Amino acid sequence: MVEKVFTVKNPTGLHARPATLLVQKASSFPCEITIVKGDKQVNAKSIMGIMSLGVRQGDEIKVVVNGENEDEALQAIGEILESEHE
Amino acid sequence: MEWRGIAASSGIAMGPAFLLKEEKVDVQRYEVNDIEQEVKRFEEKVKQSISELEAIQQKAKEKLGEKEAQIFAAHILVLQDPEYIGAVKEKIQTESINAEAALKEITDQFITIFESMDNEYMRERAADIRDVSSRVLKRLAGIEEKSLEDFNEPVVLVAHDLTPSDTAQLDRDKVAGFATNIGGRTSHSAIMARSMEIPAVVGLKNILEGVEALDYLIVDGIEGVVYKNPTSTMIEQYAIKKKAYEAELAELAKLKAEPSITKDGHRVEVVANIGNPNDAKVAVANGAEGIGLFRTEFLYMGRTDLPSEEEQFEAYKQVAEMFAKENPIVIRSLDIGGDKELPYLDLPKEMNPFLGYRAIRLCLDRTDIFKTQLRAILRASVYGNIKLMYPMIASLQELREANKILAEVKQELDQQNIPYNKEMEVGMMIEIPAAAVIADQLAKEVDFFSIGTNDLIQYTMAADRMNERVSYLYQPFNPAVLRLINMVIQAAHKEGKWAGMCGEMAGTIPAIPILLGMGLDEFSMSASSVLKARSLIRKLNAAEMKLVAEKVLQMETAEEIVQYVEQEVLEKIK
């Protein structure tokens, strides 16, 4: 299991478009990916889960990955969270 | 049967009715015996809905671009969501209930979460979820969606109202015309219909309730009437009327490359109002000599976040390149607020949005948004005769503030060695009576004025143009309005500046002789009105119209003025 804390840089937070990218990316990996914000944790492959976190720019997010290709998955998810593009 | 409404977009359309109506599904909860079969039924309908959404996404990609189509990618993900779809299946299994009830209950749980969030944008996502789940609910209930693609001939859309984004997505090859319960000549759907040249009648009050799918309709956008299931004689008569209308258009088409010049040699510009690059194509096809109003807010609407500088630059450049180098392209900076909302800006609801935080007021506050747009406009200015125009200026201070920000942006571009037209003209709209009254002062600090009559009339008369009960006060020919317009034109000329008009009034036939007489330099209107206006201008004599304008400015009522112009000017040149 690997985990890391990222700061969301996207100016719109995790609105529909970045959330879509994140879920699409997460779903392309076979491992379990969990996103933790404060005391809430959700499945990174669930768009409803991600959006229900209401993540804004500047929020700190912990990503926990467990299973096959976990390092690669952690890096890919981190790139989306730290992307400054909309 | 017939309905009378407001002729919003000229022309005649005939075809089967296509109703845009929300079908409500009444969900009953009951126990099922074969649980596995029920889960399978649910999975199949979800799968069907996903492939429908994929087809819509593909179409949106072709019509609106990659970025706009992404919202459908999010909708598809909702139907692939393991937590959501998984929870529905689990509910079917553990409670032995039907798929409809399980779907509705789980959906309601999620909607509650989203609606309770402290961010308007997220609250709006609840609508997305409702939209997606209702598609599956309808499929479960056996309701199949009729698509425009299922028709062999163009249809007449019948709706309560059409939102700007509904209208923007209309496919002109599939939609012959439209008819709506509400709306007026200046509502956005009407303006869009005219720019897309789709015949439309609005404000029909209860047509949606009186028409069934596939009823045959005639939409007479000239007279403002819609007929349901007409007799064959009537259809024949209308076919003749349609031909005559098209012949008239063909006659006007001959004026496409001709100048807008009066009989005594006074030249004006007849240009078009547009909302996007597609409208600009229509403007070119209709012989517009340029663009008098590029409503940039449509770049910002119907999406989930702000358009980037690059995206805006491309749109402005694209429009500039459709015209010859010397043709003017007047780009209006963002005019949002009022009745045009941007959910992602999360602006609080206001009691009086038309008198509120909108247009230049918002831009002077949100300089981040404003500067991005100004950069895009300046960068595009090397590709054509682009001019910048600020909306809703109420005072000299606002104008100076806007110009100060423009100067800062220019300086940034200079530092980055990014080229732009240093001589780009900068003007402002006159749509607030306060601005009209101090037009002499404002004229010293701008390159031009453009009179926005839709708002100027509503503010001058203090009558909401969307409110049907006071619509009698929406009077372009009211003496107070005409005097203000005249004041603005004279103030501009006194400083050697030009004055245009980009409201609906500029394309109104009886207004043209008066405006010409007042000395208006530029007439900007819906593309479909351009050739008619030019044809009229070419029959008039500017010196005579000056006398007409002087006379009209002394009259007491709007009726008297219109009657005078019709009898003394229009009748005589017929």
Side-chain angles (χ1 to χ4, degrees), chain B residues 151-376:
Chain B
F151 289 86
N152 296 324
E153 58 179 322
V155 298
V156 171
L157 282 187
V158 183
H160 179 68
D161 188 18
L162 287 171
T163 65
S165 56
D166 279 339
T167 326
Q169 287 174 47
L170 293 185
D171 188 336
R172 285 166 60 195
D173 299 332
K174 293 279 173 192
V175 178
F178 71 73
T180 60
N181 281 357
I182 65 167
R185 238 193 97 77
T186 57
S187 60
H188 291 287
S189 45
I191 292 171
M192 299 279 291
R194 283 196 291 280
S195 70
M196 294 170 76
E197 299 180 310
I198 295 177
V201 181
V202 301
L204 292 156
K205 297 207 169 75
N206 56 2
I207 186 159
L208 183 59
E209 291 69 28
V211 169
E212 279 179 44
L214 301 184
D215 275 342
Y216 194 83
L217 297 183
I218 295 178
V219 174
D220 181 343
I222 304 166
E223 305 287 338
V225 198
V226 177
Y227 301 93
K228 179 173 99 170
N229 299 331
T231 60
S232 54
T233 328
M234 230 179 128
I235 293 177
E236 276 166 33
Q237 281 168 352
Y238 260 96
I240 295 168
K241 197 169 168 185
K242 190 167 183 233
K243 262 210 173 121
Y245 176 76
E246 282 160 1
E248 192 195 328
L249 288 187
E251 192 57 37
L252 286 174
K254 293 178 186 159
L255 294 177
K256 258 190 216 173
E258 298 295 325
S260 306
I261 191 163
T262 61
K263 278 170 97 175
D264 53 344
H266 177 68
R267 190 163 179 170
V268 294
E269 265 167 357
V270 179
V271 291
N273 299 337
I274 60 164
N276 56 51
N278 266 339
D279 293 351
K281 275 187 218 152
V282 180
V284 173
N286 278 284
E289 290 158 79
I291 300 301
L293 170 63
F294 184 167
R295 296 185 184 90
T296 56
E297 51 276 15
F298 286 97
L299 292 169
Y300 293 72
M301 292 164 77
R303 47 187 292 151
T304 56
D305 48 15
L306 288 164
S308 66
E309 178 186 322
E310 214 47 44
E311 222 177 297
Q312 296 191 53
F313 165 72
E314 283 300 331
Y316 305 148
K317 174 173 170 240
Q318 205 186 331
V319 170
E321 287 180 335
M322 282 182 213
F323 289 89
K325 217 41 183 174
E326 67 278 6
N327 291 74
I329 311 288
V330 180
I331 301 181
R332 176 171 74 185
S333 62
L334 182 59
D335 181 8
I336 212 72
D339 58 335
K340 292 169 280 189
E341 291 176 45
L342 292 185
Y344 54 84
L345 284 186
D346 217 0
L347 300 175
K349 284 256 174 291
E350 298 186 341
M351 289 276 282
N352 294 301
F354 276 108
L355 304 180
Y357 181 69
R358 54 175 293 206
I360 198 73
R361 302 165 183 185
L362 184 145
C363 285
L364 294 179
D365 183 41
R366 291 291 305 269
T367 49
D368 54 326
I369 298 176
F370 194 34
K371 280 188 166 175
T372 304
Q373 180 172 41
L374 293 180
R375 273 181 72 99

Side-chain angles (χ1 to χ4, degrees), chain A residues 2-70:
Chain A
V2 290
E3 59 175 64
K4 192 174 169 190
V5 175
F6 297 94
T7 304
V8 175
K9 301 230 172 89
N10 194 306
T12 57
L14 283 186
H15 278 180
R17 191 177 298 153
T20 304
L21 291 175
L22 192 141
V23 173
Q24 283 169 339
K25 185 54 89 181
S27 303
S28 70
F29 289 100
C31 44
E32 271 178 35
I33 308 174
T34 309
I35 304 276
V36 186
K37 182 194 160 198
D39 55 0
K40 280 196 272 186
Q41 61 172 50
V42 300
N43 179 351
K45 295 176 185 177
S46 162
I47 183 116
M48 307 270 259
I50 299 287
M51 291 207 299
S52 67
L53 288 178
V55 175
R56 289 163 186 248
Q57 186 180 27
D59 283 354
E60 287 199 338
I61 296 292
K62 185 159 83 176
V63 182
V64 184
V65 191
N66 195 358
E68 213 179 312
N69 296 352
E70 54 187 26

